[in-house]
């Protein structure tokens, strides 16, 4: 489980970068990486990019922390997850420094990135939507690496300590939810529930959003932050005897789903009602599976396997091409950044080289000289000498974006079709299994 939180850096950028790069915390700086800059000169490079921005904003950068469950992930894997998160969320448009700290009982990543993009010089917009995107990407990466994740819709924005206290049932939110659940059966309406909560020591603040504060609690807790079952409307409905919003029946899904393994289902063994529903559902899904095979002209198991294999290869090939384009686009963005820096600072560097008192000249232009030498070094490393023009890079970027868009459409189609055929194959395997087949025959006889 990875917990994320983010905050702006307004005045202490260099100090913040120095802190996250502390050798004692990063295994002698082995767990320090960067993109679009070097960790040692990141603050200077951030400032150079911001200098070109029209909308500089008030922030020098942003600091993102990604904390993992104790003992769940190795530092190297955590660092890899952090790098994937940074590149995906920031789109390879912002300079950043990523470090992994191992000095606490839980491994955690620190990501400091520029408040302004070096690609288009636009300011990073931090809001609820951008934070939720960070959470979604972080959770997805954790799943891909076999790690636990925070359940969507629950405990949003909590710190690691907040999650731990919620798990043990000691957080103020947990206690408030438990109190509401306990008092609902004894309440005549919503106002009656509020009176009960007041009698138990809760302070209530009315306004656009009703809020509660327990004894010794520092801040009020807004009702709507407890989840969809705890809004004012949801609580009123629950008092009236209606089902919780989270328990409302979902719209009927016409897609083919996997057959349920009834024999090995603990829920089916414990609930006769669920077992009956699962049997009927399996019959319906088996019928849908057969109809799918007929409609798509699949006459043999071998043909089904071949189609699934072809779709999987097409999906993987499209994804690989997308990754190649993303890598190429990121490289072009860096070439453009360093090329512009090189051109702008070349006159300063030439003056420095021609100066008779280089030490005096350096004292007045140290940052510019450092940036120029870094740009020259990176361009040489990327084999971008002679330096391409900005216009040529932009034309190539437009071409890459168009190719990626077309490939992504193909990838989504192949992915959906492969997933559908995988479900069909799994169901066919279950149908062809002799014990299951006999069970289906007996069930059909009972139904008929």
């Amino acid at each position: 489980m990875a917990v994320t939180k983010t905050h702006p850096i307004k005045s202490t950028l260099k100090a913040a970068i120095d802190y996250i790069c502390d050798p004692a915390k990063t295994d002698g700086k082995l767990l320090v990486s960067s993109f679009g800059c070097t960790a040692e000169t990141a603050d200077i490079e951030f400032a150079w990019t911001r200098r070109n921005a029209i909308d500089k904003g008030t922030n020098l950068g942003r600091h993102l922390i990604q904390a993992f469950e104790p003992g769940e992930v190795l530092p190297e894997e955590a660092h890899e997850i952090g790098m994937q998160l940074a590149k995906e969320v920031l789109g390879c448009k912002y300079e950043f420094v990523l470090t992994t700290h191992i000095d606490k009982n839980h491994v955690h990543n620190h990501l400091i990135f520029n408040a302004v993009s070096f690609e288009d010089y636009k300011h990073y917009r931090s809001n609820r939507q951008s934070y939720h995107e960070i959470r979604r990407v972080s959770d997805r990466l954790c799943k891909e690496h076999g790690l636990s994740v925070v359940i969507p819709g629950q405990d949003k924005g909590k710190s690691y300590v907040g999650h731990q206290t919620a798990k043990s049932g000691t957080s103020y939110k947990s206690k408030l939810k438990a109190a509401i659940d306990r008092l609902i059966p004894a309440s005549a309406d919503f106002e009656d529930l509020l009176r009960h909560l007041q009698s138990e020591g809760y302070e209530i603040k009315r306004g656009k959003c009703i809020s509660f504060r327990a004894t010794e609690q520092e801040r009020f807790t807004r009702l709507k932050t407890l989840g969809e079952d705890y809004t004012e409307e949801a609580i009123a409905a629950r008092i009236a005897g209606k089902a919780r919003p989270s328990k409302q029946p979902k719209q009927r899904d016409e897609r083919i789903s996997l057959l349920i393994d009834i024999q090995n289902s603990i829920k089916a063994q414990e609930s006769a009602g669920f077992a009956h529903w699962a049997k009927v559902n399996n019959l319906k899904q088996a019928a849908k599976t057969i109809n799918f095979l007929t409609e798509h002209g699949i006459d043999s198991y071998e043909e089904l396997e071949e189609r699934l294999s072809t779709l999987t290869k097409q999906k993987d090939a499209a994804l690989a091409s997308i990754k190649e384009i993303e890598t190429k686009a990121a490289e072009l963005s860096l070439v453009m950044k360093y090329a512009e820096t090189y051109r702008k600072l070349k006159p300063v560097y030439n003056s420095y080289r021609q100066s008779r008192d280089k030490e005096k000249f350096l004292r007045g232009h140290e940052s510019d000289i450092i940036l120029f030498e870094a740009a020259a070094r990176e361009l040489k490393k990327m084999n971008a000498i002679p330096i391409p023009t900005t216009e040529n890079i932009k034309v190539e970027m437009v071409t890459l974006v168009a190719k990626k868009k077309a490939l992504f459409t193909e990838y989504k189609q192949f992915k959906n079709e492969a997933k559908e055929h995988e479900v069909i194959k799994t169901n066919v395997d279950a149908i062809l299994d002799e014990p299951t087949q006999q069970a289906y025959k007996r069930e059909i006889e009972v139904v008929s």
Side-chain angles (χ1 to χ4, degrees), residues 88-335:
E88 186 164 342
V89 168
L90 300 177
C92 296
K93 297 180 181 179
Y94 298 81
E95 297 109 330
F96 68 76
V97 178
L98 170 73
T99 70
T100 301
H101 283 194
I102 56 176
D103 58 319
K104 300 288 180 65
N105 66 335
H106 62 284
V107 175
H108 55 285
N109 289 327
H110 287 272
L111 172 68
I112 293 180
F113 59 93
N114 201 348
V116 172
S117 165
F118 64 77
E119 184 176 286
D120 55 18
Y121 298 113
K122 291 183 179 179
H123 199 269
Y124 180 83
R125 301 297 177 187
S126 178
N127 49 39
R128 185 183 296 271
Q129 183 178 355
S130 65
Y131 177 68
H132 286 174
E133 174 63 15
I134 292 171
R135 285 287 299 271
R136 282 192 293 269
V137 175
S138 178
D139 285 351
R140 196 199 75 237
L141 291 173
C142 284
K143 285 182 180 179
E144 292 175 359
H145 284 259
L147 307 180
S148 60
V149 298
V150 179
I151 299 173
Q154 293 185 3
D155 307 329
K156 291 182 179 179
K158 276 188 181 174
S159 64
Y160 174 75
V161 174
H163 280 282
Q164 293 299 94
T165 55
K167 283 168 65 177
S168 62
T170 59
S171 73
Y172 287 116
K173 283 189 177 181
S174 319
K175 291 179 178 179
L176 178 56
K177 287 167 71 173
I180 291 173
D181 291 340
R182 175 170 48 80
L183 294 171
I184 280 179
S187 302
D189 52 31
F190 186 75
E191 291 298 325
D192 192 28
L193 173 69
L194 297 184
R195 287 191 289 272
H196 284 307
L197 287 168
Q198 280 183 316
S199 67
E200 293 199 0
Y202 279 96
E203 181 183 350
I204 299 174
K205 182 171 69 174
R206 295 178 182 269
K208 187 177 179 180
C209 299
I210 192 165
S211 304
F212 301 84
R213 182 165 65 183
T215 306
E216 297 181 357
Q217 183 179 351
E218 184 178 347
R219 296 182 179 179
F220 280 88
T221 299
R222 286 181 293 177
L223 191 62
K224 69 176 185 178
T225 64
L226 299 180
E228 62 178 325
D229 291 330
Y230 297 90
T231 63
E232 187 172 339
E233 295 77 13
I235 292 175
R238 291 171 60 189
I239 292 173
K242 297 179 182 178
R244 291 188 176 199
S246 60
K247 303 296 183 181
Q248 295 289 343
K250 297 180 180 179
Q251 292 184 347
R252 186 175 179 182
D253 191 351
E254 296 299 330
R255 292 177 300 178
I256 303 173
S257 60
L258 290 169
L259 299 179
I260 299 171
D261 185 359
I262 300 174
Q263 292 182 344
N264 295 315
S265 171
I266 297 176
K267 192 172 181 180
Q269 294 172 9
E270 295 177 345
S271 170
F274 178 82
H276 176 73
W277 173 86
K279 290 174 184 177
V280 174
N281 175 74
N282 280 357
L283 290 173
K284 291 178 181 178
Q285 298 307 322
K288 287 183 180 181
T289 299
I290 300 302
N291 289 339
F292 179 93
L293 296 173
T294 302
E295 291 170 2
H296 289 77
I298 301 175
D299 300 321
S300 66
Y301 186 82
E302 290 72 20
E303 186 176 352
L304 174 60
E305 284 186 312
E306 184 178 347
R307 288 201 185 186
L308 175 57
S309 176
T310 299
L311 286 168
T312 302
K313 289 177 181 177
Q314 289 173 322
K315 178 198 70 173
D316 293 343
L319 182 60
S321 298
I322 289 171
K323 295 296 183 184
E324 287 179 9
I325 289 176
E326 289 176 342
T327 300
K328 180 62 176 176
E331 290 175 355
L332 283 176
S333 294
L334 287 178
V335 169

Side-chain angles (χ1 to χ4, degrees), residues 259-261 263 282 427 429-442:
L259 299 179
I260 299 171
D261 185 359
Q263 292 182 344
N282 280 357
N427 285 351
D429 289 339
I431 293 172
L432 293 177
D433 181 65
E434 187 61 28
T436 306
Q437 187 178 25
Q438 295 301 323
Y440 287 152
K441 287 181 178 179
R442 290 195 298 271

Side-chain angles (χ1 to χ4, degrees), residues 415-430:
K415 181 181 178 182
N416 291 335
E417 290 184 15
K419 185 177 180 180
E420 189 175 35
H421 280 70
E422 181 65 38
V423 171
I424 294 297
K425 181 179 176 299
T426 303
N427 285 351
V428 169
D429 289 339

